[in-house]
Amino acid sequence: MVIQTGLAGTHATGKSLLADRIEMELRSTGISVQRTGGLAKRAAALGFPKMNRHTATSTEWIITAGAAIVLEAELDADVVLIDRTAHDALAYYTAALALRGEHPEPDDLTRLQTLASLHTHRLHVLLATVLDPDAPFTAPPGKTPPTPTPSSGHWSTSTCTSTWPTPTSNTGRSPGPATARPSPPPWPP
């Protein structure tokens, strides 16, 4: 069994830092990890609109391309870290529509919600990062500030302890028993 872990949240909320930390911890125990991501850049390179110009078509491409990448990653991993779930794409789409003062076509929204649900039903763990409105925030270069734009914000940390299911190794190595680990110290380190 491959463990799918989804990381959700807007840009600049610490998803990459969280993924780096999870990957480092898992690899240190001999568990093979694959990471997915970069779909927005690939979509833009292909000519699909993104961010505040998201369309139903660009969102559908991101969701379905993400599903294919996860399936490929599962071929050689015990754990797949999914940087941006299908629900992120759906959230960016609905936020873009709201920013433009538009409403989704009901059929488009139903189709995209169904695709997002089908794509994420196999997640074992879903972690979401959120903006902290009390921390200073500047959108990264080339990024649209999150909507609604907070007067300030940065990533918010939360602590949790979870028991990871024992993956069935695709790599022929035994990853060892599942263990409950204490929460890591708050980020940034």
Side-chain angles (χ1 to χ4, degrees):
M1 173 176 70
V2 176
I3 306 299
Q4 288 190 9
T5 300
L7 303 168
T10 190
H11 48 266
T13 58
K15 286 182 312 305
S16 294
L17 183 62
L18 179 61
D20 290 345
R21 185 74 178 266
I22 292 169
E23 182 177 12
M24 179 183 70
E25 291 291 326
L26 292 173
R27 286 188 189 277
S28 74
T29 65
I31 295 173
S32 65
V33 178
Q34 290 288 329
R35 285 173 65 169
T36 68
L39 286 171
K41 287 181 184 177
R42 287 184 53 205
L46 291 169
F48 287 107
K50 61 178 202 156
M51 299 300 288
N52 60 2
R53 297 182 325 265
H54 253 297
T55 64
T57 301
S58 64
T59 303
E60 184 172 349
W61 183 87
I62 289 172
I63 291 170
T64 56
I69 289 170
V70 168
L71 291 172
E72 289 173 25
E74 286 183 351
L75 294 173
D76 192 37
D78 299 317
V79 174
V80 177
L81 297 176
I82 303 164
D83 187 352
R84 296 210 186 270
T85 68
H87 291 289
D88 284 77
L90 189 56
Y92 270 96
Y93 170 61
T94 56
L97 290 174
L99 185 68
R100 297 190 310 250
E102 299 173 14
H103 299 284
E105 293 293 327
D107 288 344
D108 287 341
L109 187 57
T110 299
R111 184 180 73 257
L112 294 172
Q113 288 171 329
T114 301
L115 283 172
S117 294
L118 288 171
H119 176 54
T120 56
H121 83 281
R122 293 176 50 217
L123 287 176
H124 295 89
V125 180
L126 176 60
L127 303 170
T129 57
V130 296
L131 289 172
D132 177 352
D134 296 326
F137 176 81
T138 303
K143 300 285 186 175
T144 305
T147 305
T149 304
S151 58
S152 61
H154 205 316
W155 62 75
S156 172
T157 60
S158 61
T159 58
C160 66
T161 302
S162 68
T163 301
W164 287 70
T166 302
T168 302
S169 179
N170 285 342
T171 60
R173 288 175 283 145
S174 173
T179 58
R181 293 183 176 217
S183 298
W187 292 330

